[in-house]
């Protein structure tokens, strides 16, 4: 992995989209929420737009100049302004003494089908190193949305091996940690595609394109990423309800000493109706350990549209605790020693 760019040209901008068509990519039920443009983002967000790495996709939008950073990690097909609650987060950051960070990873937008969790985690490591070097970051919290939850979980492993120059990790928030595999199981095309993808993997063609998805239109999906998303024990398979408690512990247990907040919605359209979200959340909380807390929003959808204020209100005490006065005095990689 190439090191982060040291010299950056910062641009102060107001991000004000005129229209947002938010279609849930790949595993999501398609829904257009243009209300986001006229309601949540009508006034735009102000901040610094910069590069944090050498690739074209390595850009980041930072709202606020405080030295404690909450990093928002999107799911499949996401980019900036990935959920209706982003404007609420920006307001909370402005009033709470922390900054909101919206990066684009190499897997953003149409890149998800040829990306991987490991690639995302390395991009995030590059970002946290950049935040420390260029913005004197004292601590970061990762907020993963949807498949961004898998990225956050993987980052917690990656940073154990390479944390020398990264900003310390103060906590993790997993918003909508839902099984990609269980969602895919309900699609008529999944079984045949998975069989073909697994054969391609055996033939050494894992990086070859299996199909093109229509959300975003034309997204190439390679065999290895489809296997990761759709197969049991695939790399992306972290939150499935059919895992035993022992299996969940093996997937999430390395976060035992990291303050973690699980946020699930009672009306998450991406979770199979047969799954009890509250019960699954309790099992994931147990798998992580005593440092985890569970927040259940009964009316919450996958992106928490309509419950944005409730979510951010629940989130703020956790963020305040993680970014407490002691945060600046504890050395990386973790503010709380990770096992």
């Amino acid at each position: 992995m190439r090191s982060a760019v040291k010299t950056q040209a910062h641009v102060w901008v107001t991000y004000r989209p005129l229209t947002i068509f938010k279609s849930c990519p790949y595993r999501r039920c398609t829904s257009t929420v243009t209300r986001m443009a006229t309601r949540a983002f009508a006034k735009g967000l102000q901040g610094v737009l910069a590069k944090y790495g050498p690739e074209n996709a390595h850009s980041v939008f930072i709202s606020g100049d405080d030295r404690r950073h909450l990093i928002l990690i999107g799911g499949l097909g996401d980019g900036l302004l990935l959920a209706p609650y982003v404007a609420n987060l920006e307001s909370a950051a402005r009033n709470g003494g922390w900054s909101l960070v919206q990066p684009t990873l190499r897997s953003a937008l149409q890149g998800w089908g040829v990306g991987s969790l490991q690639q995302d985690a390395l991009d995030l490591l590059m970002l946290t190193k950049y935040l420390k070097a260029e913005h004197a970051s004292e601590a970061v919290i990762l907020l993963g949305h949807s498949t961004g939850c898998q990225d956050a979980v993987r980052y917690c492993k990656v940073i154990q091996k390479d944390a020398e120059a990264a900003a310390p990790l103060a906590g993790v928030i997993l918003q909508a940690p839902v099984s990609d595999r269980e969602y895919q199981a309900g699609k008529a095309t999944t079984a045949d595609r998975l069989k073909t993808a697994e054969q391609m993997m055996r033939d050494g063609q894992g990086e070859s394109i299996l199909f093109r998805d229509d959300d975003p239109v034309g997204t190439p999906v390679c065999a290895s990423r489809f296997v990761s998303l759709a197969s049991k024990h695939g790399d992306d398979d972290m939150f499935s309800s059919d895992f035993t408690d022992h299996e969940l512990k093996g997937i999430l247990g390395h976060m035992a000493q990291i303050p973690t907040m699980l946020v699930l919605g009672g009306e998450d359209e991406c979770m199979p109706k047969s799954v009890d979200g509250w019960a699954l959340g309790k099992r994931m909380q147990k798998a992580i350990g005593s440092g985890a807390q569970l927040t259940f929003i009964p009316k919450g959808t996958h992106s928490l549209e309509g419950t944005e204020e409730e979510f951010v209100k629940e989130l703020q005490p956790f963020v305040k605790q993680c970014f407490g006065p002691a945060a600046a005095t504890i050395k990386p990689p973790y503010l709380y020693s990770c096992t």
Side-chain angles (χ1 to χ4, degrees), residues 19-25 28-37 84 215 269 303 305:
T19 306
I20 299 176
F21 295 97
K22 181 66 176 179
S23 295
C24 296
R28 300 172 171 84
C29 305
T30 301
S31 62
T32 303
V33 288
T34 54
R35 291 190 302 276
M36 292 168 62
D215 201 353
E269 66 276 17
S303 64
E305 184 181 11

Side-chain angles (χ1 to χ4, degrees), residues 262-295:
L262 295 157
V263 183
L264 288 98
E267 297 183 3
D268 191 324
E269 66 276 17
C270 296
M271 182 177 290
K273 294 186 182 299
S274 60
V275 176
D276 184 333
W278 170 256
L280 178 59
K282 294 294 289 184
R283 293 181 62 220
M284 289 191 288
Q285 180 186 20
K286 180 180 177 182
I288 295 171
S290 59
Q293 65 182 63
L294 174 62
T295 296

Side-chain angles (χ1 to χ4, degrees), residues 119-162:
Q119 175 183 283
D120 288 352
L122 293 175
D123 282 354
L124 289 169
L125 182 62
M126 190 182 302
L127 172 67
T128 58
K129 289 181 176 181
Y130 160 79
L131 289 173
K132 184 177 180 181
E134 301 294 334
H135 294 267
S137 182
E138 297 174 350
V140 299
I141 294 173
L142 303 184
L143 194 170
H145 162 70
S146 192
T147 306
C149 294
Q150 286 108 281
D151 287 338
V153 172
R154 176 58 58 84
Y155 178 85
C156 291
K157 281 192 173 181
V158 168
I159 197 176
Q160 294 183 49
K161 300 177 181 179
D162 186 7

Side-chain angles (χ1 to χ4, degrees), residues 16 19 29 47 53 66 73 80 107 117 131 135 154 174 176 181 193 196 211-212 220 289 302 305 322 338-339:
R16 183 180 293 111
T19 306
C29 305
D66 292 286
I73 310 166
L80 297 176
S107 64
L117 294 187
L131 289 173
H135 294 267
R154 176 58 58 84
L174 304 180
R181 171 168 62 88
R193 282 176 171 174
T196 301
F211 67 97
R212 287 187 178 272
H302 195 65
E305 184 181 11
C322 292
C338 183
T339 57

Side-chain angles (χ1 to χ4, degrees), residues 10 23 39 43 45 89 97 107 117 133 140 146 169-170 203 223 227 244 247 259 265 267 288 294 302 305 325 335:
H10 295 150
S23 295
R39 186 184 64 206
K43 296 180 180 179
L45 301 182
L89 281 178
S107 64
L117 294 187
V140 299
S146 192
L169 178 62
D203 294 341
V227 169
T244 65
E247 287 173 318
E267 297 183 3
I288 295 171
L294 174 62
H302 195 65
E305 184 181 11
L335 301 187

